[in-house]
Amino acid sequence: MNIYAALALCFAPLLIIFLSIRCFAHVGIIAMLYAALLGLLAVAPISILQFYVADISFLQSDHWITQLLRAILFNGLIEEGFKMVVMLLLPSKRLSLGKFFLCACICGMSLGCFESAIYFLQHLQQANTIGAHLIYVQLFERMFTSDAVHALCAGLGGLFIRSIKRMRIDIAALLFTPLLHGLYDFFALYDDFKRFSVAAILFLAVQCRISYRIQAEEKEKADIRPQLKNTEEKEKAEKPIKKITERKTQNRIRKKT
């Protein structure tokens, strides 16, 4: 496979999700492009911080506990933390909850695809002619796993950002985003436990659904409250008028009798 075709393939998931959201959810192209650029914007600070964190001595051990802490700190907290920071720039007031969530997923997918391209180039330099085939296999694996994790984590992080702006903080979204990303990377390190990395992806999808439904229900309640207040005020305003009309009718009846 040509190297340029392989690099283009790294960004195929981003193109697929971009076109799917545009066709089925009708999100604006400018909003989606802005979300994708925000994902790329987070790459530089993440890379710089990870470069310095990688030299911390207690993270150099091969013990599984150290590797777990490294995955949660290195991949979970740093990557998802900076993604949340850049997603603060998403125009939440102009987007509905669903469209905001989808733009957050695009932001994460953009970062994940760029990471896949860097990963591919780094490993291709180290691979010989025989092992190069394995790099392409790993590339396809990342397209269906790592990119999905980045998109779902960004979506969950976006729901947390949305909850902050709505003054109803979603603690579960804040905690599960770096934790599940770290667990995915930890299980992906070991061939015998890779199936658990798939479980982390499914749990992420479930948590996104739960957080989304909670915020959607809260929004519905918030929208209903003003309507109830308006109806109560109308009823209060109509009560004196009803009393006056009732008195008039009673007076007419008395006069007739």
Side-chain angles (χ1 to χ4, degrees):
M1 183 185 291
N2 187 283
I3 186 171
Y4 298 107
L7 287 174
L9 190 62
C10 291
F11 290 92
L14 177 61
L15 181 61
I16 291 170
I17 192 174
F18 194 96
L19 294 176
S20 300
I21 290 173
R22 177 59 183 168
C23 292
F24 299 105
H26 305 291
V27 181
I29 295 177
I30 295 175
M32 291 191 292
L33 287 174
Y34 183 60
L37 289 174
L38 287 178
L40 295 178
L41 182 65
V43 172
I46 288 172
S47 302
I48 293 170
L49 189 56
Q50 285 180 339
F51 176 78
Y52 288 104
V53 170
D55 294 332
I56 297 176
S57 58
F58 78 89
L59 294 177
Q60 304 303 320
S61 174
D62 291 332
H63 195 274
W64 70 270
I65 295 179
T66 306
Q67 293 297 322
L68 178 60
L69 291 174
R70 179 185 173 90
I72 294 174
L73 174 63
F74 198 79
N75 301 105
L77 287 174
I78 294 176
E79 291 188 14
E80 299 308 322
F82 275 105
K83 273 195 284 187
M84 288 183 188
V85 170
V86 298
M87 281 191 293
L88 285 169
L89 301 175
L90 282 174
S92 60
K93 293 182 179 179
R94 298 179 184 177
L95 299 171
S96 63
L97 177 62
K99 290 181 178 180
F100 186 87
F101 173 75
L102 293 174
C103 284
C105 290
I106 289 175
C107 179
M109 182 66 77
S110 175
L111 190 147
C113 290
F114 188 83
E115 186 182 87
S116 295
I118 299 300
Y119 173 88
F120 171 76
L121 292 174
Q122 287 178 344
H123 286 73
L124 190 62
Q125 290 177 352
Q126 301 169 1
N128 52 28
T129 306
I130 298 174
H133 174 70
L134 298 176
I135 301 299
Y136 295 110
V137 174
Q138 292 174 1
L139 177 61
F140 280 101
E141 288 179 355
R142 286 184 63 86
M143 286 174 60
F144 293 100
T145 56
S146 180
D147 291 346
V149 167
H150 278 286
L152 290 173
C153 281
L156 193 56
L159 291 175
F160 170 71
I161 297 300
R162 181 87 173 191
S163 70
I164 291 176
K165 293 184 177 182
R166 299 292 179 182
M167 301 303 293
R168 293 183 179 275
I169 300 175
D170 190 350
I171 301 296
L174 175 64
L175 295 177
F176 281 121
T177 300
L179 178 62
L180 291 173
H181 191 158
L183 286 174
Y184 163 80
D185 282 282
F186 171 72
F187 290 128
L189 291 172
Y190 307 99
D191 293 333
D192 295 334
F193 297 101
K194 279 190 175 181
R195 67 188 71 176
F196 292 105
S197 63
V198 178
I201 298 173
L202 295 176
F203 196 91
L204 259 174
V206 171
Q207 188 56 44
C208 283
R209 175 65 177 171
I210 293 171
S211 295
Y212 182 87
R213 284 306 311 160
I214 291 173
Q215 293 195 31
E217 289 173 0
E218 288 179 351
K219 188 177 182 302
E220 287 177 2
K221 290 178 182 177
D223 292 337
I224 290 171
R225 283 170 190 167
Q227 295 177 1
L228 292 174
K229 287 182 179 179
N230 291 332
T231 53
E232 288 176 358
E233 289 175 357
K234 286 180 180 178
E235 288 176 356
K236 288 179 181 179
E238 289 173 356
K239 279 182 180 179
I241 298 170
K242 287 181 180 178
K243 288 181 179 179
I244 293 168
T245 53
E246 286 175 359
R247 287 176 184 174
K248 287 181 178 180
T249 53
Q250 288 175 1
N251 291 331
R252 287 174 183 173
I253 292 167
R254 286 173 185 174
K255 287 178 180 180
K256 289 179 180 179
T257 55

